[in-house]
Amino acid sequence: MNKTLKDFLEDVQLTRRTFVKASAVAGAALATGKAFKPSLKALAEASAISPNEQGEWIASTCQGCTSWCSKQVYVLEGRAIKIRGNPNSKVNGQASCPRAHLAIQQLYDPDRIKTPMKRTNPKKGRDQDPGFVPISWDEALNTIADKIMELRNNNETHKYMLMRGRYTYMRDVLYDRMTKIIGSPNNISHSAICAEAEKFGPYYTEAYWGYRQYDVANSRYILIWGADPLAANRQVSYYSSVWGDAIDRARIAVVEPRLSATAAKADEWLPIKPGQDSALALAIAHVLLTEGLWYKPFVGDFKDGTNRFATGKEVSETDFEELHTNGIVKWWNMELKDKTPEWAAEKTGLKAEQIRRVAIKYGEAAPHAISWLGGGPCMQVRGGYVAMAVHALNGIVGGVDNVGGTLKANKEYTKKFPKPDDFLDEIAKEGKKHKKIDQRGRLEFPCINKGKPGSAVVTNNAAVGILDEDPNEIKVAIGYMNNFAFSCCQPELWERALSKIPFLVHITTNASEFTWFADIALPDTHHLFEKWGYVKSIGNGYRQVTIMQPLVEPVWDYKIDETEIPWLIAEKLAERGFPNLLDHYKEYKDPETSKAPTNEKEFALYSLKYATQNLWDPGKHKGGDKFNGWEDFRETGVWNSDPYPYRKRWGKMKTKTGKFEFYSETLKAALEKHAENHNTTVDQVMEACFYEARGEQAFVPHYEEPYISGDPNLYPYVFVDHKSRLNREGRSANCTWYYEFKDLDPGDEIWDDVVKINPVDARKMGIKTGDSVRLTSPTGAIECTAKLWEGVRPGTVAKCYGQGHWAYGRVAAKVFGKVPRGGNNNDLIPAVYERLSGSTVRHAGTRVKIEKI
């Protein structure tokens, strides 16, 4: 259990060396072909820098999670030495979490891909060594261009696919514009494997499809559902820096089957049965209404001032006069009147007294109260209505858009890139008419992003589309900063799907599981240190636009994924008689000089300046921070919006009624439109999506029994997946610091991958801490170490996501290309969906059995 670093390094083995050796052929140490042990030579060499040298702090951005914090990197003689929060940011300020510091190990990781590589083994599969050999950028780009031109010459451009992982807002250069101009509908984002169902609740109550920010500085009650803001939610740096003040000022309750880092510091921990969050939310809503704790200036009141909400009794809608909400009485009559704490106690495994206490204290704090929805409650098969129920509590207490409540994103003023329409020829226009490979919009996949059926991605189902060639086969594909063969649930689907694609390109920093199936691998820049780009993030009542820029001396010949590589491909396509993409990119002119780009370096810089011009050009200023020009903005590194305009949207929300909807006319219109598209009824849509609701119940937050894979008689424990405060989105596993500090996550152990089992359950199985165990679900199995821990609810087992790589590097994998280090949680979780949003199911998704080995 308690290995030292020395022990760990002695355990490391390396086989299938051709895969890594090809990447490192330019390095003399690797050219020998001898086995090697993990080291951080680039960091070690940095110690030779003279102590008298003075470096400088240079602004950039950390994308280690979706906080997207503005940072400053201390650079000395071209090397990154340390990282801190950017004091110019009003979102995260000088605060920083551990993830940013791990980025230095990623930057100088000796296992990074250092040169383009091509596959020499025509066979594909997890059991097939790719036989990668180094090639020049010119050869790689020529090959890619030839494959794209083959599709165009055969009128098969719809068989091209672009898969996007972690992105900046330069994304549309590659993801949108290049895909459209080539002529394909198949740009597939990773977003549905993250948290699309989390957006479902806010949209179908207040018409906001996006992540919220939470005004913790002014809140008096913070009720958190399946989120861990001190470890793995958005704005971890900011929330960590102010949480001490929040604890002093507010009461905090956490709904989570596992004792998370945030739950450990809360006033109340509610260790709920997985999947039962809606029962708890509805019971809290019931108490808020029966106790008269709704916020009347937002919701309204009974006309005579007498509270008629009483358990089991219907209320006349005409007796209540609503202000900024719609359907509170209808929701009560249809769903809430019988949802008592006693009813919820049987469903949730919590005590009725605790449910009532939390509800009353939450209501008494109105309107300065937050119901904080994380991915846990809603990324389940029937999670859409859980999201609505949890977020509806914000409406009852008037916390929506209010001081101490939940806020949307502030306004920002970046520009969209030039439209591609004039550069689409007839081949491209015809190709774009085809259906998308992820099968969105079918009866069983409504995917109703912002009320429009078929508009949300179903990331994981793209693998099914590829395998079944439905709606068509995919012949050429490019993926960047993604690793679907590891990060998607039931990743063996992607292993088979990627094996089926005749020509696959992967743009990546490290040779990952996805790369294993590629025909060409291209070395990518590290976002924090080596690329031009920008992102947007929210927190603390502000929105920031924070840039990234090249700030270290490059060690190898990397190219920027979203700008330089598309430009270089466009040049090769132009040489082959298809100049449309290059001509389009030349529209991205430098706003300061009006000069069109002539090479990939200029294009990367000009396109960033173009997109952010309204922020840094004094003549274009519309609000927020004001700069004296591009150089001032670049040095500062971040633009901050104006402060949040509280209550500005009250009565002016973009729902069908213009109000916060407890009875969602907005969802009703979307579901009816989808049913109309398929000549069927909303009830049949609900059935196709595995929901129990029928009739008007489909338009209100309501309770549904959790849909969990696995017979409880065969698989007795519900599996709880959670994220680490050290996870850089699954990319930390080749960093030794990740293992050295793993016990920062409650219940975890350094240098090990543990499944946390309640001692009550462990005794029944004869398992003790340190035992090697196998977890098996209906779709897969993994091996790891048992850890007895009281911080997980009996009947469940919890395991942190992030380990289990069989590729990615010599530290990440025990035997590279063959034996994983630890277990990948996704091997256990089936490829199922919350189909109204298209979201992948990650929580309350499967049961498992445990065997001692």
Side-chain angles (χ1 to χ4, degrees):
M1 291 291 292
N2 295 310
K3 290 183 180 180
T4 66
L5 175 58
K6 181 177 181 292
D7 293 333
F8 178 79
L9 296 183
E10 287 175 351
D11 286 345
V12 172
Q13 302 176 58
L14 182 69
T15 62
R16 301 173 184 252
R17 283 175 291 174
T18 56
F19 190 80
V20 175
K21 279 176 59 185
S23 166
V25 70
L30 301 185
T32 64
K34 297 178 180 178
F36 41 81
K37 294 182 178 180
S39 62
L40 291 171
K41 292 182 179 179
L43 289 180
E45 290 167 0
S47 64
I49 293 174
S50 168
N52 297 320
E53 293 294 330
Q54 293 297 312
E56 62 176 327
W57 289 101
I58 303 177
S60 193
T61 304
C62 178
Q63 287 191 287
C65 71
T66 49
S67 295
W68 291 350
C69 293
S70 186
K71 298 295 182 186
Q72 289 180 334
V73 180
Y74 191 70
V75 179
L76 182 59
E77 292 188 358
R79 295 186 179 122
I81 305 299
K82 54 186 175 180
I83 299 169
R84 70 183 183 189
N86 188 339
N88 299 305
S89 167
K90 294 180 180 179
V91 172
N92 60 270
Q94 289 184 289
S96 191
C97 81
R99 290 181 180 87
H101 305 292
L102 266 70
I104 295 178
Q105 281 203 325
Q106 290 181 319
L107 171 66
Y108 296 119
D109 183 351
D111 290 340
R112 284 183 66 177
I113 296 178
K114 302 169 180 66
T115 185
M117 300 189 296
K118 72 176 180 181
R119 184 183 201 92
T120 60
N121 183 357
K123 296 180 180 180
K124 292 185 179 182
R126 184 164 172 174
D127 61 342
Q128 296 293 322
D129 188 326
F132 277 120
V133 297
I135 58 174
S136 67
W137 273 99
D138 198 52
E139 181 180 349
L141 294 165
N142 279 326
T143 305
I144 295 167
D146 286 342
K147 295 296 182 180
I148 292 172
M149 290 305 297
E150 284 180 19
L151 295 181
R152 288 189 53 79
N153 293 336
N154 294 326
N155 292 316
E156 292 182 319
T157 57
H158 58 289
K159 297 179 182 180
Y160 167 81
M161 179 182 183
L162 190 285
M163 289 169 275
R164 181 183 81 191
R166 175 50 53 228
Y167 60 87
T168 75
Y169 280 88
M170 308 302 289
R171 61 192 181 188
D172 283 348
V173 173
L174 172 62
Y175 177 75
D176 182 86
R177 303 310 195 258
M178 179 169 153
T179 308
K180 286 179 177 176
I181 291 172
I182 288 173
S184 175
N186 287 314
N187 47 357
I188 301 297
S189 167
H190 76 287
S191 57
I193 67 174
C194 286
E196 291 303 274
E198 187 181 324
K199 302 172 186 175
F200 187 89
Y203 188 82
Y204 292 105
T205 51
E206 60 168 299
Y208 175 58
W209 188 276
Y211 302 116
R212 285 74 55 216
Q213 53 181 321
Y214 299 97
D215 191 12
V216 299
N218 296 302
S219 186
R220 296 298 177 268
Y221 202 106
I222 304 172
L223 177 57
I224 301 174
W225 305 75
D228 193 1
L230 299 185
N233 204 262
R234 288 161 183 83
Q235 286 313 323
V236 175
S237 296
Y238 166 67
Y239 291 126
S240 296
S241 69
V242 300
W243 210 252
D245 292 337
I247 290 172
D248 292 340
R249 186 182 302 109
R251 190 169 182 84
I252 299 173
V254 175
V255 183
E256 173 82 51
R258 171 188 66 95
L259 186 69
S260 64
T262 307
K265 298 179 182 297
D267 297 285
E268 299 255 10
W269 175 37
L270 294 86
I272 194 169
K273 290 181 181 179
Q276 294 288 356
D277 302 80
S278 64
L280 177 59
L282 295 171
I284 291 174
H286 177 98
V287 173
L288 292 173
L289 297 185
T290 57
E291 295 293 328
L293 294 174
W294 71 89
Y295 189 60
K296 296 174 179 59
F298 184 68
V299 180
D301 198 3
F302 288 97
K303 293 176 181 178
D304 62 2
T306 301
N307 184 8
R308 289 178 171 78
F309 292 123
T311 299
K313 296 182 179 180
E314 290 197 359
V315 174
S316 172
E317 293 182 41
T318 60
D319 289 343
F320 198 98
E321 186 173 353
E322 287 187 88
L323 292 179
H324 302 302
T325 65
N326 177 72
I328 186 71
V329 174
K330 185 175 290 188
W331 184 31
W332 168 266
N333 291 337
M334 291 175 59
E335 185 65 21
L336 295 182
K337 66 181 185 297
D338 299 317
K339 299 300 189 291
T340 64
E342 290 71 24
W343 168 84
E346 293 184 7
K347 298 289 186 181
T348 62
L350 304 172
K351 292 182 178 180
E353 295 79 9
Q354 186 182 33
I355 296 172
R356 188 177 301 278
R357 179 177 65 249
V358 168
I360 290 174
K361 293 295 184 182
Y362 175 73
E364 288 174 346
H368 311 302
I370 294 169
S371 179
W372 187 320
L373 173 65
C378 51
M379 291 186 73
Q380 55 173 301
V381 172
R382 293 169 176 162
Y385 292 99
V386 181
M388 290 181 71
V390 170
H391 192 66
L393 299 179
N394 293 303
I396 295 176
V397 300
V400 176
D401 222 40
N402 206 352
V403 176
T406 65
L407 315 175
K408 69 186 292 288
N410 306 56
K411 192 171 184 179
E412 55 84 21
Y413 306 99
T414 54
K415 292 176 10 182
K416 292 183 178 180
F417 292 119
K419 293 183 178 180
D421 303 35
D422 293 342
F423 301 90
L424 271 64
D425 61 11
E426 291 305 312
I427 293 174
K429 290 176 182 177
E430 286 300 312
K432 282 179 72 276
K433 292 178 182 178
H434 288 259
K435 299 293 185 181
K436 285 183 177 283
I437 196 67
D438 62 351
Q439 303 176 350
R440 69 184 77 174
R442 297 184 181 185
L443 174 63
E444 67 276 18
F445 281 117
C447 305
I448 42 178
N449 180 334
K450 299 181 181 179
K452 183 180 178 182
S455 59
V457 66
V458 199
T459 309
N460 213 16
N461 203 57
V464 176
I466 294 168
L467 287 168
D468 295 345
E469 299 185 6
D470 181 12
N472 51 257
E473 65 180 322
I474 295 295
K475 288 187 172 182
V476 177
I478 298 176
Y480 81 96
M481 284 309 291
N482 66 324
N483 190 10
F484 294 165
F486 178 84
S487 61
C488 284
C489 297
Q490 205 172 333
E492 62 86 16
L493 287 173
W494 279 101
E495 292 175 13
R496 291 190 286 121
L498 297 176
S499 298
K500 187 179 176 70
I501 299 174
F503 184 74
L504 176 65
V505 178
H506 197 209
I507 307 169
T508 181
T509 57
N510 286 62
S512 69
E513 287 78 3
F514 190 103
T515 317
W516 192 262
F517 303 93
D519 296 275
I520 287 183
L522 300 178
D524 201 357
T525 53
H526 192 288
H527 65 270
L528 184 55
F529 309 99
E530 298 172 323
K531 71 184 291 184
W532 290 110
Y534 80 98
V535 295
K536 314 168 193 176
S537 61
I538 54 175
N540 194 28
Y542 289 91
R543 190 170 199 172
Q544 67 181 10
V545 175
T546 172
I547 67 167
M548 50 216 48
Q549 56 183 315
L551 46 83
V552 297
E553 290 293 331
V555 180
W556 303 101
D557 190 14
Y558 313 121
K559 304 290 184 186
I560 301 175
D561 44 26
E562 293 171 322
T563 50
E564 292 182 345
I565 292 175
W567 173 277
L568 292 168
I569 292 173
E571 286 185 329
K572 295 297 185 181
L573 292 174
E575 291 173 5
R576 287 155 175 76
F578 181 62
N580 300 41
L581 185 59
L582 185 61
D583 290 345
H584 169 72
Y585 287 159
K586 289 179 179 179
E587 297 286 304
Y588 299 45
K589 298 180 180 179
D590 185 343
E592 290 185 299
T593 64
S594 299
K595 179 184 175 183
T598 60
N599 58 56
E600 75 276 16
K601 300 292 185 184
E602 291 180 347
F603 179 63
L605 177 59
Y606 294 176
S607 54
L608 174 59
K609 293 173 71 174
Y610 178 96
T612 58
Q613 182 185 6
N614 290 341
L615 308 183
W616 55 262
D617 186 339
K620 301 284 187 178
H621 183 260
K622 298 180 180 180
D625 292 347
K626 191 170 184 178
F627 298 95
N628 294 321
W630 163 254
E631 195 60 24
D632 186 17
F633 176 52
R634 186 196 65 78
E635 291 181 2
T636 304
V638 60
W639 169 91
N640 300 285
S641 71
D642 293 319
Y644 194 84
Y646 295 112
R647 296 178 295 278
K648 185 176 181 179
R649 293 190 301 125
W650 282 21
K652 295 182 289 185
M653 293 177 179
K654 295 182 179 180
T655 57
K656 292 293 182 181
T657 62
K659 300 180 178 183
F660 188 95
E661 295 182 343
F662 299 114
Y663 179 93
S664 182
E665 295 287 354
T666 305
L667 179 56
K668 180 179 181 179
L671 289 173
E672 288 179 344
K673 177 61 177 175
H674 185 67
E676 179 185 332
N677 289 346
H678 294 277
N679 298 311
T680 189
T681 65
V682 171
D683 282 356
Q684 288 178 311
V685 172
M686 291 290 102
E687 183 178 0
C689 295
F690 301 98
Y691 275 104
E692 298 173 320
R694 299 294 183 268
E696 288 200 305
Q697 191 182 35
F699 313 136
V700 298
H702 65 271
Y703 176 76
E704 303 239 357
E705 284 288 340
Y707 187 104
I708 305 176
S709 298
D711 183 341
N713 294 315
L714 300 176
Y715 305 97
Y717 301 99
V718 178
F719 183 72
V720 177
D721 168 88
H722 67 94
K723 305 300 183 285
S724 169
R725 66 178 67 194
L726 299 173
N727 275 3
R728 291 183 59 83
E729 297 193 320
R731 300 186 182 97
S732 303
N734 213 46
C735 301
T736 55
W737 292 342
Y738 175 76
Y739 303 92
E740 189 69 30
F741 298 102
K742 194 66 182 68
D743 56 354
L744 283 173
D745 298 310
D748 277 6
E749 296 285 339
I750 66 171
W751 299 107
D752 209 343
D753 192 21
V754 303
V755 57
K756 294 170 280 291
I757 309 170
N758 191 282
V760 172
D761 295 325
R763 281 194 293 270
K764 297 175 185 176
M765 296 181 284
I767 290 174
K768 59 183 183 296
T769 293
D771 285 345
S772 295
V773 294
R774 180 181 297 110
L775 306 183
T776 305
S777 77
T779 57
I782 62 174
E783 295 179 2
C784 55
T785 304
K787 169 70 180 289
L788 275 60
W789 191 53
E790 295 84 355
V792 63
R793 180 186 175 84
T796 71
V797 295
K799 184 177 173 298
C800 189
Y801 167 79
Q803 298 188 53
H805 281 281
W806 50 269
Y808 213 80
R810 64 194 107 177
V811 178
K814 187 173 289 186
V815 181
F816 187 85
K818 187 175 182 181
V819 180
R821 182 170 300 284
N824 181 5
N825 291 5
N826 288 327
D827 285 330
L828 300 174
I829 305 172
V832 291
Y833 310 91
E834 195 294 305
R835 292 166 179 262
L836 297 182
S837 66
S839 178
T840 291
V841 167
R842 289 200 178 277
H843 306 284
T846 190
R847 296 179 176 274
V848 297
K849 63 180 179 181
I850 308 173
E851 302 168 279
K852 185 176 177 180
I853 55 176

